[in-house]
Amino acid sequence: KVKAQLEEKEGKTFDVFTAVEFKTQVVAGTNYFIKVHVGNEEFLHLRVFKSLPHENEQLSLHSYQGSKTKHDELAYF
């Protein structure tokens, strides 16, 4: 659901976009930290926010980190 948001921010499209790992953090909603394989040996770490149900908001890409590898630890950011 956040692929289009990331592609807009990066100014390019991703043929490969596969989540390989994730962590959660409960706040006033939930932060999802997701390691995504985007092709070749390139990975991105995404921070996606899901609001509380009563707020009825869409998932939003809060921030991301590029130039990651398969073995980089997925950490809160």
Side-chain angles (χ1 to χ4, degrees), residues 19-24 31-35 46 74 76:
V20 295
E21 181 183 348
F22 77 95
K23 294 181 179 182
T24 60
N31 282 321
Y32 292 91
F33 297 88
I34 308 167
K35 182 185 292 187
L46 311 182
L74 182 60
Y76 300 112

Side-chain angles (χ1 to χ4, degrees), residues 33-66:
F33 297 88
I34 308 167
K35 182 185 292 187
V36 178
H37 179 227
V38 292
N40 299 321
E41 296 299 316
E42 187 179 355
F43 290 79
L44 298 173
H45 291 183
L46 311 182
R47 180 173 159 193
V48 176
F49 180 71
K50 181 178 181 183
S51 65
L52 295 170
H54 72 275
E55 294 176 353
N56 200 26
E57 299 286 329
Q58 296 291 321
L59 287 175
S60 64
L61 177 64
H62 185 271
S63 57
Y64 64 97
Q65 298 174 334

Side-chain angles (χ1 to χ4, degrees), residues 10 15 25 34-35 38 67 73-74:
E10 279 287 291
D15 294 331
Q25 176 187 43
I34 308 167
K35 182 185 292 187
V38 292
S67 301
E73 180 181 355
L74 182 60

